[in-house]
Structure formats: structure tokens, C-alpha cells
Amino acid sequence: MRQESLTVVARVDGAHRLSDVRAALRAIAENCPPEGEIRPRAFADPKLGIHFARLVLLEEPSDAEHGSSLVFESNFDTEFADPAEARVAHLELLCAAIRTPLLSAFQHCVGFTSELTSEEFAAKLQQHLVEATACYQGHTERDLARIRLEQHLREVLLTYFERAPKAKPRELYLAAREYVRLRAATDPLLAGLNIDGPAPPSPSAAIRSERLSAGLGVWFKNISLQLGVYLLSQLHNLWRWTRKDPEFEPLARQEAWTEADRLAFLEVAASEDHGLQNALTHVVPLKNADRLRVLRAAHGYIDRMAKNQFDDIGQLGGIPTIHFAKWLLVDGGTRLLFLSNYDSSWESYLGDFVDRAAIGLNLAWTWTALYPKTLFFNWGGANDEERFKAWSRAHQRPTQVFYAAYPELGIAALNNNTWIRCGLHRPPCAVDLRGWFRRLT
């Protein structure tokens, strides 16, 4: 099993349908399990294999250049190696299993009707799939079953050590390993765990260590010759844009605030910081059509870095709190949509971005309207923290429906659980006991 993601974007069929879409999203969001967990029931069926899902209404004023759109995103398990096959199969499964709640929202979009069969509905959704320009996954190669097994394994070990008599680290490790071996034979939540066999091949601790020690060289290694030549050809444009592009002015924005702006801000704030995991939805116009090609080149580089570096270490540009992130061009390539699932608060999330990945932020967004001015990606931009955060907030949208399969589990803990489990598979003489016990605390 591996993880894949898909995004569907459909145009809402006129402003008169917006209230119907909002009502449908509200009904989905409020239909939660009886245990009181803040996650919609619609996506919780285990056979769907969904890690995260969201439904977002990108609502626009009646006089806006772009009409309002409905966005659906799913991060899911799949056995298909081909992304296109995986997405088609997932949409077919979704429409067969939860056609009613999904169609309650999409029936108000252009080309959709309430009478669509499951097969017809899946085919319509496929027509509205949007490919990401760049995508990152923070915990690859682990399906829902494995994530839950490894979390339970950690809990079993902690319970054991709470009762275990004092002993030397190696003796404690050997006793714990024997306890897990016996427990796995009777505990259904540890079904399939065989610590005497090899650990799952992915993710690889050796590859992760290699990536973490790669240094700055990896940033240059992933620049293809074609990309390098293209960027050199654009240096004069980068300099010209830096001098002439307008940038976001927080004070002017505040002074121009309307009642509609205030209500929009309150709606965004109400949709975040409900728990450990949160969702960010952000959409911003490109500065002009001239930036489209260079944006695609920059995002291609970000995607290459994600696949060859960041996915393997579970950190996006040094940020260890992001589960998934993706950028997509929508509205005919005139706007950039960003979707992210992250741990902790909005303030700490944006702070991590500024502190650890300012260059990456500049690469991703310097082509968009009113982004803080940058000089060759390294200076300005996100380094202007106050201006960047104000710009980010101004273009953020509320995430009306957000589902997380394991809302109590942060990505650092999730990855930690994997290395705890892998430590039990290794011969005792090959285990760094100090590091292994540290992961349990």
C-alpha cells in the first residue's frame, strides 16, 4: 500500500446555488460520530482508506472575475502504482460508498445533477480532477492499518515499561521484545506484526539518515540542466519584477477593510485550531500570464525536491509538522490554490515556514499577486515575516469540511512510532538502545 492524493474542482452553477452548497457542507461537517470526535462521519469508513479529506467552497463576489468553486481533496491509500489509476479507483469507491453526502454538495455545480448514478457521478468527478504543480507527503508508504498498529504498539510498550521492574537497558529491551512477541499472538490490534521477520522496507532509516546529512548540496543536485538554463535566462525578468511589482501593504489593507472582510476573517478563524491537526486553504491570483511558465518551472523543482528529499525525511524544507501539502493551478491557470494539513496552530505553522523554509515559500509564491518583494528568492519575501503573514491571511479561505483519520496523532509522533517498531525488528546487538528508549518518552 502507498498513499496518493486527488483534488476535484467544480464551478458552482450560479450565485443562487451558494446557499445550497453552504447548507450541504454544513450538514456533512456536523454529522460526526457519537463519541464526540470533531470529524465528519462521511469519510470514516475504513474501506475508503482516507487519511485526510476536505470540502471547501471558494466563494467569490458576484462581480468577481472568477466564479465560485467547490473543491474536494482526499489523501488515501491505494494499491495502484499509477497515480491516474489510483485516483479513478478511489473516486469510483467514494461514489459507491458515500454518493449521497458528496452529491448533496456537487449537485449544485455545473454539469452535475441530483439524479446521477454512482458510476455517472464518478465519471463527472474524474472530468474535474486537477493535477498538482507540486506535492509533498509527510509519511509515505504507510497505510491506515500500519499507522494504527504502530501507534498501538507504542502504547503497549509504554504500558509494559510502567510495570516492568528496574533493569539494565538491554535487559529491558529484550524483555519488552519478548512481551510484544507474545502479545502479538493474541492482540487483534497487533495482527500481522512479526518482529522476528524483517522490518517493512519503507520508509528506510538508512535513506532518511542519508537525506538528513545531505547538506546544501542536495538543493543544487536536484536542479536539472534544463531548469538551470531556463532560470538563468529569466534573471533579467526576476530583477525587473523585483523593482516594479507592487507588494502587499498590511496597513492599507486594514484601512480598506469592509464588513464583508471582517465576516470572512471570522469564518476563516472559526474553521481552524480545533485540535492538534488543522487544514489550510489558500488561493491567490497570479500576477499576470507572463509568470505562468516560470511558476511551473519553480514548482517542478519543489516537487522534485519533495520526491527526492523531503518525502524521505518527513519534513518539508525542514518543517516537521506537515502531513500533506500541494499547490494547484485553477481557473485556467490564473490562480494558485494551496492545500495543507498540519499540526498545531496557524501562527506556529506560518512561523515554522518563515523560520525554516523562506526560500521555498518565495519559490512557490513570488509569482502571485502582491506577494512581498523578493530578490532572487533569498532576500525579502517570506523573510518579511509581518508582511508575509498578513498577505497569507488575506488570501486564506475557510475549510468548511475537514476530516482526519487519526486526529490525535501528530506527524512527529507518527514517524516516531515507525522507528520504534523498526527497532524491535532488528537484532539486539544492532539497536541503538539509548536512541530507541528516547523515542518512547
Side-chain angles (χ1 to χ4, degrees), residues 14 118 122 140 216-217 281 372 403 405 410:
S118 297
T140 59
L216 291 175
T281 302
Y403 169 81

Side-chain angles (χ1 to χ4, degrees), residues 169-170 173 428 430-441:
R170 185 160 299 280
Y173 169 81
V431 178
D432 172 14
L433 291 180
R434 185 183 297 274
W436 188 80
F437 278 107
R438 191 183 303 118
R439 291 189 182 279
L440 282 162
T441 58

